[in-house]
Amino acid sequence: MSDFSNDDELIQEYLAESREHLATIETDLLEIERGGADIDEQLVNRVFRAAHSIKGGAGFFDLVQIRELAHRTENVLDLVRSRQIEPNSEIVSILLLSFDKLRNLLAEYQSSNDADIAEFTAALSRVAEEHLSPQRKTSTERITAVTCGENGRTFAVEAFDLDQSRERGNSLYSIQIDLIHDVHKKGRTPLQLLGSLIGKGLVLASEFDLESAGTLDAEPSNTLLFHVLYGSDLHAGAVAETAGVPPEQVYQIEGGSALQEDEAPAECVSAEMEPAEQIPAPVEHVPAPARVSKTATAEHIPAPAPISKTATSGAAPAETTIRLNVGLLDSLMTLAGELVLGRNQLNEAVRKGDEQGIRAGAHRVSLVTSELQEAVALTRMRPVSTVFSKFPRLVRDLAGDLGKDVQLTLEGGDVELDKTILEGLSDPLTHMVRNSVDHGIETPETR
């Protein structure tokens, strides 16, 4: 894994976006659980896209364990949205704990590749395999090599992902992206590129072409190629537009052929491979997902909850970024401009010795400063629902442990408080309820 400093803007952007994706995960999953067989596809798609986005970014930064856990979570959610799985309490519990673990891994991303996620991947794999047809039960453990003869790229992709993409009627594309000319020089970031692709399809695999950067002995190169295996119902031209690349850099892999728009078919291969370690040289530098044996699955999954709660314990780190409304930023810029204007007028009045101008300038600066102070304070205001949104999950877990049917009603969530106050409230409240869940609370039956 690459070394990232704390001020690396790109990785910090990825972490901020991931935290934003995870912010409503608990609420969405609990709503999915309440719906049961009546699946809200739009809601499930939102949770699926969150896992898919986290996986895509983790693959770009070589965060192997984060990518693997997000991928396994994505597989289960894909089966839910295709109505192959009915999201019952046990399955939602597994998903909740898996997202908890993802949140912890993202908080400690620099050491995440050394984390043990076998308990989580085993639970998620078991859920997926239990709901697949006999012919597909091993698809989550099989790696397929997809080779596009036209541009010579070979991708290692899980057979399950290919099957699900085909079942949705998606076409496969090999996209060649120059990170310098197609991304950097167009004022974009790789995360924005991946976000555009994820919004309209599935990123099944990706890899850097390190040879395109050249070597110390060769002539300097001003290209850095990034290849993506993409599944989408878009036509090739729309895929090129979405990726922001010329059409000749998009190849369609369909029916055993790689088709480039307006050109004759070129030979393409899709072949089942043995374990990931045996994938040929073109994809050796792509980290293969960790494999979980079936015996390990049985040993690590106690019934009925397959993942221990202690595996995801630990306080969430305080947020270091804040997302602001553009209108508020515009207001701050306007006030800052007025403050500079008032300062200039005051300086001019002082220079001329104009007492009336000095009083008027000072009064103007005072008014603008007060307005600016109020506007800056608004940047830290957050709805109190950000604290109490944790409680439905906590109450659900507590009710399940006690065997009770509990309904929780929350009101007034739109009231806003300063971010510091909310953080001060959040940890003690969460700790209090967690203690109740972990140690039990006194009830008439336990007295």
Side-chain angles (χ1 to χ4, degrees), residues 13 23 34 37 57 121 162 167 177 194 246 295 333 371 383 392 441 446:
E13 181 184 347
R34 281 191 289 271
T121 56
L162 282 179
E167 284 186 6
I177 302 163
L194 289 173
T295 54
M333 287 295 295
E371 291 182 27
I441 58 174
T446 58

Side-chain angles (χ1 to χ4, degrees), residues 72-80 85 91 95 124 127-128:
R72 297 292 175 178
T73 305
E74 174 192 58
N75 287 351
V76 174
L77 289 165
D78 199 15
L79 292 173
V80 172
I85 287 181
I91 291 171
L95 290 171
L124 293 163
V127 170

